[in-house]
């Protein structure tokens, strides 16, 4: 790297870079999640519990796609949730695992529900109602455009539900 290149200003300020702002938004969301719910459940564990509540009996690979985690991380977290007694993992053909919530897992999710509403409104309240809708629309669009695996998993779930 030459001295001229090293000292040349970058074309975009860091606070205008989407990646930096998305990372900061994620940090803020996780921090607020812990403020509301404490630390006995992580946002990813919540996503797993919520997804299993909405799609009971899905396999671990589909769960990983739906919550945008790699399969090994999903397997590790699922094993921990099973140890806590919150989910049941049943071995299926081809070594797949079917996942479902236990009554304890359903209870944990029910306990989190009021905080989820508080968290949502707390994060969104600084925006006007029209801005909230636009913010969520743009977030969904951004994620959908950049995560084709998620769309594939959602289609798979919808087809299975119709069958």
């Amino acid at each position: 790297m030459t001295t001229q290149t090293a000292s040349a200003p970058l074309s975009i300020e860091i606070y205008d870079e989407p990646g930096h702002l998305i990372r900061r938004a994620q940090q803020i969301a996780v921090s607020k999640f812990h403020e509301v719910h404490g630390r006995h459940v992580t946002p990813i564990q919540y996503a797993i519990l919520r997804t299993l509540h909405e799609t009971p009996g899905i396999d671990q690979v589909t769960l990983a796609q739906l919550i945008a985690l790699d399969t090994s991380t999903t397997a590790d977290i699922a094993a921990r949730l099973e140890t806590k007694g919150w989910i049941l993992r049943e071995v299926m053909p081809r070594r797949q695992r079917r996942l479902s919530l236990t009554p304890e897992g359903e209870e944990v999710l029910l306990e989190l529900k009021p905080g989820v509403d508080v968290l949502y409104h707390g994060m969104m309240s600084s925006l006007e109602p029209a801005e909230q809708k636009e913010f969520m629309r743009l977030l969904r669009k951004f994620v959908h455009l950049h995560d084709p695996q998620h769309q594939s998993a959602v289609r798979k779930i919808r087809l299975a539900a119709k069958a």
Side-chain angles (χ1 to χ4, degrees):
M1 182 182 295
T2 66
T3 305
Q4 184 180 11
T5 305
S7 64
L10 297 174
S11 61
I12 301 172
E13 293 289 324
I14 192 160
Y15 294 105
D16 291 329
E17 291 182 16
H20 177 74
L21 292 173
I22 291 166
R23 182 185 63 80
R24 286 294 297 129
Q26 163 67 3
Q27 288 175 321
I28 291 165
V30 169
S31 175
K32 291 193 175 294
F33 183 94
H34 289 306
E35 284 175 20
V36 171
H37 297 295
R39 296 199 173 264
H40 77 286
V41 177
T42 68
I44 292 173
Q45 290 172 339
Y46 167 75
I48 289 174
L49 296 174
R50 176 80 186 261
T51 302
L52 292 179
H53 174 76
E54 293 170 0
T55 53
I58 62 172
D59 65 90
Q60 207 162 267
V61 172
T62 302
L63 173 65
Q65 291 171 340
L66 287 172
I67 61 172
L69 283 180
D70 62 88
T71 53
S72 62
T73 301
T74 303
D76 290 345
I77 296 170
R80 280 185 252 139
L81 293 176
E82 183 178 42
T83 299
K84 288 183 172 191
W86 295 354
I87 70 169
L88 179 62
R89 297 186 315 152
E90 301 173 76
V91 177
M92 297 169 36
R94 298 184 315 230
R95 296 177 35 168
Q96 289 181 321
R97 296 196 183 255
R98 179 187 351 258
L99 305 176
S100 56
L101 288 179
T102 63
E104 290 173 2
E106 289 282 358
E107 188 176 315
V108 169
L109 193 56
L110 190 61
E111 290 170 6
L112 293 173
K113 173 67 173 110
V116 170
D117 294 336
V118 168
L119 181 62
Y120 177 85
H121 294 295
M123 285 196 294
M124 300 300 278
S125 66
S126 58
L127 300 173
E128 296 296 323
E131 291 174 321
Q132 292 175 20
K133 285 182 181 179
E134 182 66 359
F135 179 70
M136 292 305 297
R137 185 189 71 77
L138 290 172
L139 275 177
R140 279 190 292 275
K141 181 177 182 177
F142 183 87
V143 169
H144 294 321
L145 290 172
H146 295 280
D147 190 4
Q149 273 193 341
H150 176 79
Q151 291 305 310
S152 172
V154 168
R155 270 189 240 100
K156 180 180 173 183
I157 293 295
R158 287 183 179 151
L159 288 173
K162 289 180 182 178

